[in-house]
Amino acid sequence: MKVIIDDKEFEAEYGEYILDVARRNGIHIPTLCHSDAVPGQGSCRLCIVEVYERGKNKVVVSCLYPITGEIKVYTNSEKIHRMRRNIIRLLAARAPGSEYIKKLKEEYGIPEETRFKVDEKEKCVLCGLCVKACEKLGSMAISTVNRGATKKVAPPFEEPPVDCIGCTSCAHVCPTGAIEVREYEGKRVIWNRTFELLKCTSCGRYFITREQYEYMKNRHGIDMKELLCDRCRQKSTAEKLVSLYKKLLVKKTLFQCYRLQKD
Amino acid sequence: MNGMVQVPRRTVLVCCGTGCLANNSMEIYKKLKDKAAELESGFPVIPVLKATGCNGLCERGPIVQVLPDDIFYCKVSVSDVDEIFERTILKGDVIERLLYLDASSGKRVRSFKESEFYKKQFKIALRNIGQIDPSCIDDYIERGGYEALKKALFEMSPEQVISEIERSGLRGRGGAGFPTGYKWRQCSKTNDFPKYVVCNGDEGDPGAFMDRSIMEGDPHSVIEGMIIGAYAVGAEKGFIYIRDEYSLAVRNVSKAIEDAYIRGYLGRDIIGSGFSLDIEVVRGGGAFVCGESTALMASIEGRVGEPRVKYIRSTEKGLWGKPTVLNNVETWANVPVIITRGVEWFSSIGTEKSKGTKVFSLVGKVKNTGLIEVPMGMTLREIIFGIGGGIAGSGKFKAVQTGGPSGGCIPEALLDLPVDFDSLSDAGSMMGSGGMIVMDDRTCMVEVARYYLKFLSEESCGKCTPCREGIRRMLEVLEDICAGEGREEDIELLLELSETVKEASLCGLGKTAPNPVLTTIKYFESEYLAHIKEKRCPAGVCKKLTSYRINADLCRGCGLCAKRCPAGAISGKQGKIYEIDQGICTVCGTCREVCRFGAVEVAGRATE
Amino acid sequence: MHEKPGEGILKVKSILEKYPKERRYLLAILQDIQKTYNYLPREALNEVRDYLGIPLSSLYSMATFYKALSLKPKGRYVIKVCDGTACHIRGSLDIVEEIKKQLSISPGEVTKDGKFSLETVNCLGSCALAPVMVINDKYYGNLKPAMVKDILESTGD
């Protein structure tokens, strides 16, 4: 079916999201909470567009609005631009510490905040990707807590999370670099929990936590006699890599996430 | 009944709605019941005692009615019980001092139906409340209950039921006014099973208790409506989601469901029709956002009440991704009446686009606080000054807030606005679930906006940016204004943030959140300017912008203010003019409240 | 009046047994636990996790989202001051201020002796009696700040 975006006509499939069609055709719509690995958030609202459908005009989020009829889309109308600036201003006032947000702020020419009280250190914009990623990978160690203005992401009781395996998927999927990961002397610290790291059997580099390894072994029955880090794994024989990789991909293991993070 | 000589009965209805209960009505009921039990047999009258739901006139509670004499007693206390029993129940005498005193005429009236409060009302959703014992299914049946269900199941096809509701013009009573019949049709067209019907009883608007009263006072009307709806759309399972704070509603609805199962109105093969339905009660967890339909469904599923993007309607993908019809309590309670009395009757009530009636909780600075039901299209003036009896106390009407945190404040100039879905929306407010809060000149409109935004900042689920961050920042600005820290450009900023929050938020909570701010700026901008530019709160509410002065021309030197001042800030001698020490005064307003001569005046920020 | 945790884990088991092992009963289970203990003890949450197979993070998320649930013990007497609109414009915040002064606690807190906790709630549906507060199940209507002291003093164990 046809869809008109910014006065140009494009082909779309029934039910396809506006954002996907726009991206395919090189139209840039800014996003924050959107990730192909963990879709369906619709929370940051950065990707709003104006839609004209059946004589009506509305503001929708392009990442989740399915094209099911003839529509005209404006991705950067005056109104959208104004509101998107406001959203970025709000995000910047919340999380001034994030480099990504700083860049967006510059891009949209938003002046330094003088009206709102800001917390210079905060980086989290509460997009929810970390929670979604953790949920998808199966450990569900963190969640959103509280609600409204006091909402945040935290482990249960705000203590080092018992269910965490230290895989760092949350940190990698985070668009604003808000989740801190520290590594030193064979240890990894995330969410205030310290994990012991295991070495790659090939290059000897620390790369995986014991819990991560146990998790994959128990949950997916993968026995990894050869513990290979990402780099060594790629160097490994092509056939082995492909088959292992496929297997891992299907079973949604942690490696899938590593791969996604790199994308 | 048993072929014996009929002994006349006198039915005594004791209001046990929440308002009356808070005033000790349960004691009155128990005492009357004890007295009735003590009565020896062979007495010429049999008293039948019933604890009913809310009569609506909470201001005058506890309320006791005696039938068939139709005597209506207000503000009854436990000490009146003996007299009521001896004189009224046994002999039919009227106790004059307990009768309802009409605010406008100053006369006492014997029957509730003669009162100004009642006369202008039209009861559909509240038809049985106050007249029946909600825990007694026979009371409901006696007043025509479950007749609509029989008619629907045996004389109508699901298609006919839907078209009947469509033609009636019934619109959702939960707030937005979505056409109910259309919703049902969308769901019935979907070929995906199982389907669900849900009743939204998570009434969270502060200042609103319509749904609570219906669930407490007439639970079967809601259940009957849901069974009819389920039959129409092909659902086999229903949920009634009730706010956890409403313990009495939970109890009464649960009991009603149990009784409906026993009588065969619920369960397998309902009264031999072949149609089956189960209904379950789900207690809410105390989150305003769960009044939003998708958040409510998440909550029923045992999750955090975060709304989801609604580009695919719940009638297609609702509870557990299955087609779901969700209606509000009052909407469901309307359904049986429409089926029984017919479309022509129903659609003759109300306005062209808003059919039927609406229940409101009329509260705030109004004389007759309580629950009312009026035909759509009645003007605000008729409601507030007719039924409500006008402003309580010496204040002057300033605004009426409708629609709760999603609605807005309507000024005096618009008092002749007919109350229906569209007129209220056009005025920047909304019908909402039916809270109607009357405000007088001692209410600060900036502070009211701050109040609602504070409420919403806590009740927003926090998922999407505009709602979570936008409301928080708007609140920050409003708090500054109330504290005298407002800046000239703040009004402009509030308007701009409002647009973003309204348009870009994920769910209805955010999309309507700016309404209290937008309407107060629209109709009461001068108050904002007084706060921002003159550092003055004209209503004398914002403490940092208020000081009290004693007007020497009006002070009679009675000394009451000095006696009542909790801070000991007022000094003077009897017969002389009193004075307030601004350094000690805590701006509590007691002096202003107690002064009988209006001598305590509001001034701007105190200057030391 | 409320169960102490530890000695009452059996109570949790009996609550759990009333419900099938389905996620949709989670909120009801948590509410029942809250009613029994006056808060959600950690031991109880662990039991729920094991019974329903729901991770602790989700339980924590629920417990902090819904106002009916709390992770800290409440006072033996829970003071709920209504701050619904009708109460608000009739001065409910002055009542809150007075209670704060009398008990030295803010909304959400418990007195040191564990006797009182203070909460503000959105609407008790008793707007005709505004301003209203409820202490456990007892209503106090048409309040004035000056009445608060006496009411608190007359509330005893």
Side-chain angles (χ1 to χ4, degrees):
Chain A
M1 58 200 312
K2 285 189 185 89
V3 54
I4 297 167
I5 303 178
D6 295 340
D7 296 323
K8 277 187 216 128
E9 201 176 289
F10 300 103
E11 273 301 316
E13 282 185 31
Y14 182 89
E16 208 177 348
Y17 296 134
I18 294 172
L19 181 68
D20 294 334
V21 180
R23 288 208 164 157
R24 191 169 61 234
N25 293 290
I27 298 170
H28 174 69
I29 301 174
T31 61
L32 199 55
C33 72
H34 182 78
S35 152
D36 292 326
V38 274
Q41 302 272 96
S43 63
C44 76
R45 318 304 280 179
L46 213 50
C47 71
I48 47 168
V49 294
E50 253 186 301
V51 163
Y52 290 79
E53 189 167 22
R54 275 176 270 150
K56 278 187 194 157
N57 159 19
K58 55 190 169 185
V59 175
V60 303
V61 283
S62 57
C63 66
L64 287 174
Y65 194 85
I67 301 166
T68 57
E70 264 188 33
I71 56 169
K72 267 194 202 171
V73 180
Y74 291 94
T75 65
N76 206 13
S77 63
E78 200 187 312
K79 183 174 170 183
I80 291 296
H81 188 76
R82 183 171 64 236
M83 296 202 293
R84 199 174 281 147
R85 273 181 58 115
N86 273 330
I87 293 171
I88 296 167
R89 178 180 175 183
L90 289 169
L91 288 168
R94 178 195 164 82
S98 159
E99 289 302 317
Y100 187 84
I101 300 287
K102 272 185 206 156
K103 238 170 54 195
L104 269 175
K105 216 171 116 182
E106 268 165 41
E107 199 183 316
Y108 278 78
I110 295 162
E112 274 314 296
E113 188 58 63
T114 54
R115 183 66 187 85
F116 306 137
K117 300 169 189 91
V118 299
D119 174 5
E120 293 300 338
K121 277 185 240 138
E122 183 63 78
K123 287 181 181 173
C124 172
V125 290
L126 276 171
C127 69
L129 277 176
C130 51
V131 175
K132 266 278 168 69
C134 189
E135 188 183 307
K136 229 177 165 185
L137 291 161
S139 40
M140 297 199 234
I142 51 170
S143 62
T144 57
V145 303
N146 301 336
R147 66 177 184 218
T150 59
K151 199 179 189 102
K152 58 181 172 180
V153 174
F157 302 101
E158 297 183 42
E159 291 169 0
V162 279
D163 295 329
C164 179
I165 55 170
C167 73
T168 69
S169 317
C170 52
H172 283 274
V173 81
C174 176
T176 60
I179 300 169
E180 199 191 350
V181 185
R182 275 181 302 137
E183 282 184 16
Y184 62 94
E185 296 163 13
K187 301 252 180 349
R188 174 184 291 166
V189 183
I190 184 168
W191 293 110
N192 275 330
R193 187 172 159 191
T194 308
F195 294 89
E196 182 200 340
L197 287 171
L198 303 179
K199 284 179 182 167
C200 173
T201 47
S202 170
C203 70
R205 198 170 58 92
Y206 287 116
F207 82 107
I208 189 172
T209 69
R210 180 170 294 283
E211 286 78 1
Q212 234 174 320
Y213 169 68
E214 296 289 333
Y215 178 89
M216 282 188 281
K217 208 170 74 178
N218 296 338
R219 197 151 297 192
H220 302 295
I222 301 163
D223 187 28
M224 299 196 293
K225 285 199 184 86
E226 277 194 333
L227 261 181
L228 293 179
C229 72
D230 221 20
R231 226 179 315 158
C232 297
R233 189 166 45 84
Q234 277 169 12
K235 276 193 265 172
S236 186
T237 60
E239 206 174 306
K240 196 176 162 192
L241 184 131
V242 168
S243 78
L244 178 66
Y245 180 65
K246 271 186 185 163
K247 200 170 163 192
L248 293 176
L249 193 75
V250 170
K251 297 201 175 183
K252 289 182 190 164
T253 67
L254 301 162
F255 283 111
Q256 175 195 25
C257 191
Y258 271 13
R259 178 61 189 243
L260 288 168
Q261 289 145 17
K262 290 171 65 187
D263 284 351
Chain B
M1 277 258 282
N2 306 329
M4 284 158 63
V5 183
Q6 281 266 324
V7 180
R9 286 162 181 267
R10 235 181 215 118
T11 306
V12 185
L13 304 168
V14 182
C15 182
C16 289
T18 303
C20 283
L21 279 180
N23 270 327
N24 230 359
S25 69
M26 193 39 86
E27 284 302 308
I28 295 169
Y29 174 74
K30 278 186 190 150
K31 196 164 171 197
L32 280 167
K33 201 152 183 159
D34 287 347
K35 289 196 79 78
E38 284 166 18
L39 206 64
E40 288 161 32
S41 60
F43 212 85
V45 179
I46 300 176
V48 181
L49 267 144
K50 285 184 190 301
T52 72
C54 178
N55 275 283
L57 195 62
C58 310
E59 184 83 41
R60 311 276 179 105
I63 284 161
V64 175
Q65 291 178 82
V66 182
L67 302 175
D69 315 63
D70 203 9
I71 299 168
F72 187 82
Y73 290 147
C74 303
K75 296 199 169 176
V76 175
S77 67
V78 180
S79 59
D80 296 321
V81 167
D82 286 335
E83 193 180 351
I84 293 175
F85 195 81
E86 303 297 334
R87 288 181 56 193
T88 309
I89 297 175
L90 298 184
K91 296 184 193 138
D93 286 352
V94 175
I95 304 168
E96 194 72 19
R97 72 180 149 81
L98 294 175
L99 289 178
Y100 175 85
L101 182 67
D102 225 45
S104 47
S105 67
K107 285 191 184 134
R108 293 199 184 269
V109 294
R110 174 185 162 123
S111 160
F112 189 32
K113 295 184 183 71
E114 295 163 22
S115 68
E116 286 299 317
F117 181 76
Y118 187 93
K119 256 193 249 169
K120 291 188 179 129
Q121 296 196 47
F122 192 104
K123 303 213 172 184
I124 296 178
L126 303 180
R127 61 194 178 278
N128 296 322
I129 299 175
Q131 306 300 313
I132 62 168
D133 175 350
S135 66
C136 176
I137 191 170
D138 286 317
D139 273 21
Y140 180 69
I141 292 170
E142 205 174 288
R143 289 178 61 94
Y146 289 110
E147 285 305 316
L149 178 64
K150 285 177 198 157
K151 184 174 170 187
L153 290 179
F154 295 110
E155 295 168 30
M156 299 167 84
S157 66
E159 165 59 33
Q160 280 172 319
V161 174
I162 292 175
S163 103
E164 196 82 345
I165 296 298
E166 268 176 343
R167 289 198 300 129
S168 75
L170 178 66
R171 292 169 69 174
R173 273 17 179 185
F178 195 81
T180 307
Y182 180 76
K183 196 186 264 184
W184 291 16
R185 173 150 330 268
Q186 292 304 104
C187 183
S188 81
K189 277 200 296 201
T190 311
N191 232 336
D192 186 9
F193 293 90
K195 293 179 183 178
Y196 299 101
V197 285
V198 177
C199 172
N200 183 349
D202 191 51
E203 183 174 56
D205 287 12
F209 52 102
M210 300 74 51
D211 296 344
R212 149 187 237 160
S213 293
I214 296 172
M215 291 186 287
E216 283 177 3
D218 191 15
H220 284 287
S221 68
V222 179
I223 295 168
E224 186 178 4
M226 285 179 76
I227 309 171
I228 294 168
Y231 169 70
V233 304
E236 282 180 29
K237 177 92 198 173
F239 294 94
I240 305 181
Y241 188 92
I242 308 176
R243 204 176 153 209
D244 189 48
E245 287 92 327
Y246 288 1
S247 50
L248 183 61
V250 171
R251 223 165 36 235
N252 288 0
V253 171
S254 305
K255 169 82 166 64
I257 290 175
E258 252 172 60
D259 291 343
Y261 270 104
I262 294 170
R263 300 296 176 93
Y265 295 123
L266 280 175
R268 292 229 66 79
D269 189 16
I270 290 170
I271 48 174
S273 66
F275 174 69
S276 304
L277 177 72
D278 288 308
I279 293 184
E280 226 177 89
V281 168
V282 176
R283 281 172 292 157
F288 174 73
V289 68
C290 288
E292 198 277 342
S293 60
T294 58
L296 186 148
M297 289 178 203
S299 190
I300 292 180
E301 291 172 10
R303 295 168 200 284
V304 158
E306 281 182 1
R308 62 162 179 79
V309 174
K310 251 203 285 197
Y311 300 137
I312 299 167
R313 290 196 180 279
S314 301
T315 47
E316 241 175 88
K317 286 190 190 306
L319 260 182
W320 292 291
K322 295 294 177 184
T324 304
V325 164
L326 180 140
N327 285 125
N328 144 283
V329 170
E330 190 183 333
T331 314
W332 287 120
N334 265 284
V335 169
V337 189
I338 295 172
I339 297 296
T340 316
R341 302 202 56 175
V343 165
E344 275 65 37
W345 173 79
F346 185 82
S347 57
S348 70
I349 307 155
T351 66
E352 200 198 327
K353 284 183 176 165
S354 301
K355 297 294 183 197
T357 58
K358 179 76 194 82
V359 182
F360 291 100
S361 67
L362 185 60
V363 300
K365 309 258 179 100
V366 63
K367 274 189 192 134
N368 297 329
T369 298
L371 201 68
I372 59 164
E373 182 168 2
V374 295
M376 298 266 194
M378 187 180 266
T379 65
L380 285 164
R381 193 184 299 280
E382 280 175 278
I383 294 176
I384 296 162
F385 290 89
I387 297 172
I391 301 300
S394 56
K396 205 174 143 295
F397 176 88
K398 187 192 267 184
V400 57
Q401 209 281 349
T402 68
S406 314
C409 294
I410 298 167
E412 188 166 16
L414 294 179
L415 268 181
D416 292 309
L417 202 70
V419 175
D420 60 55
F421 290 108
D422 311 297
S423 306
L424 288 175
S425 299
D426 292 346
S429 183
M430 71 185 286
M431 181 79 92
S433 58
M436 201 176 261
I437 296 129
V438 179
M439 298 169 178
D440 67 1
D441 51 2
R442 289 192 182 183
T443 313
C444 169
M445 303 315 286
V446 185
E447 205 278 337
V448 165
R450 185 208 63 81
Y451 165 80
Y452 280 114
L453 275 260
K454 170 94 174 131
F455 173 88
L456 289 162
S457 76
E458 286 166 8
E459 295 296 339
S460 155
C461 83
K463 181 174 173 178
C464 77
T465 313
C467 180
R468 182 189 64 241
E469 304 298 331
I471 291 174
R472 172 182 162 201
R473 297 306 178 180
M474 285 171 74
L475 174 63
E476 210 174 296
V477 172
L478 286 166
E479 278 174 344
D480 281 352
I481 296 177
C482 288
E485 316 278 317
R487 305 180 192 180
E488 295 230 357
E489 64 278 13
D490 279 351
I491 294 182
E492 205 46 50
L493 174 62
L494 284 172
L495 292 174
E496 200 179 325
L497 287 175
S498 290
E499 184 201 28
T500 302
V501 176
K502 213 175 159 103
E503 296 269 358
S505 287
L506 194 158
C507 83
L509 188 148
K511 282 182 191 300
T512 55
N515 285 346
V517 180
L518 289 171
T519 52
T520 46
I521 292 179
K522 185 170 172 189
Y523 300 122
F524 302 96
E525 192 177 1
S526 64
E527 278 193 49
Y528 278 84
L529 293 174
H531 283 73
I532 295 171
K533 290 189 174 165
E534 299 162 36
K535 307 296 176 200
R536 181 171 70 85
C537 172
V541 172
C542 299
K543 296 208 162 147
K544 288 195 175 151
L545 294 182
T546 298
S547 63
Y548 293 112
R549 316 262 155 184
I550 294 176
N551 183 330
D553 297 335
L554 296 171
C555 177
R556 305 269 186 94
C558 72
L560 189 62
C561 55
K563 218 166 102 186
R564 294 288 183 82
C565 175
I570 306 179
S571 58
K573 271 198 183 129
Q574 287 250 325
K576 296 263 163 63
I577 293 153
Y578 279 74
E579 225 176 296
I580 303 172
D581 185 334
Q582 302 297 339
I584 304 174
C585 175
T586 59
V587 206
C588 71
T590 305
C591 51
R592 185 187 182 204
E593 210 176 282
V594 298
C595 180
R596 282 169 297 196
F597 312 106
V600 180
E601 290 175 347
V602 172
R605 178 146 68 181
T607 42
E608 262 115 275
Chain C
M1 117 185 132
H2 290 285
E3 291 292 325
K4 289 207 174 66
E7 59 194 58
I9 271 311
L10 273 177
K11 289 256 175 183
V12 179
K13 293 227 157 79
S14 70
I15 290 169
L16 293 172
E17 275 163 12
K18 286 196 296 185
Y19 296 96
K21 290 188 182 186
E22 287 174 45
R23 169 132 202 171
R24 72 184 181 97
Y25 297 107
L26 175 58
L27 183 54
I29 290 171
L30 295 178
Q31 280 170 325
D32 285 359
I33 295 172
Q34 175 82 34
K35 283 221 167 82
T36 309
Y37 296 97
N38 216 10
Y39 78 112
L40 301 173
R42 275 176 85 148
E43 300 91 319
L45 289 181
N46 289 339
E47 293 287 321
V48 177
R49 173 195 57 193
D50 296 344
Y51 184 77
L52 291 179
I54 293 173
L56 214 49
S57 61
S58 302
L59 302 182
Y60 189 69
S61 183
M62 293 281 283
T64 54
F65 186 90
Y66 290 108
K67 225 177 168 177
L69 308 173
S70 71
L71 290 161
K72 279 187 291 182
K74 292 187 181 177
R76 294 191 297 283
Y77 294 92
V78 180
I79 307 169
K80 290 182 181 170
V81 182
C82 180
D83 193 27
T85 321
C87 287
H88 185 78
I89 64 171
R90 289 199 197 175
S92 56
L93 289 186
D94 295 333
I95 306 297
V96 175
E97 281 306 312
E98 185 61 25
I99 298 172
K100 277 166 78 174
K101 211 168 90 189
Q102 294 290 336
L103 299 176
S104 313
I105 51 169
S106 292
E109 294 177 355
V110 189
T111 52
K112 276 194 190 125
D113 59 2
K115 183 171 174 185
F116 289 108
S117 51
L118 176 61
E119 289 171 14
T120 56
V121 295
N122 290 332
C123 185
L124 293 165
S126 312
C127 310
L129 309 172
V132 181
M133 70 174 176
V134 184
I135 302 183
N136 286 357
D137 278 327
K138 193 162 167 50
Y139 278 78
Y140 299 91
N142 297 314
L143 285 170
K144 297 255 181 308
M147 293 158 69
V148 167
K149 196 170 176 225
D150 284 348
I151 294 172
L152 294 179
E153 278 170 5
S154 67
T155 304
D157 285 296

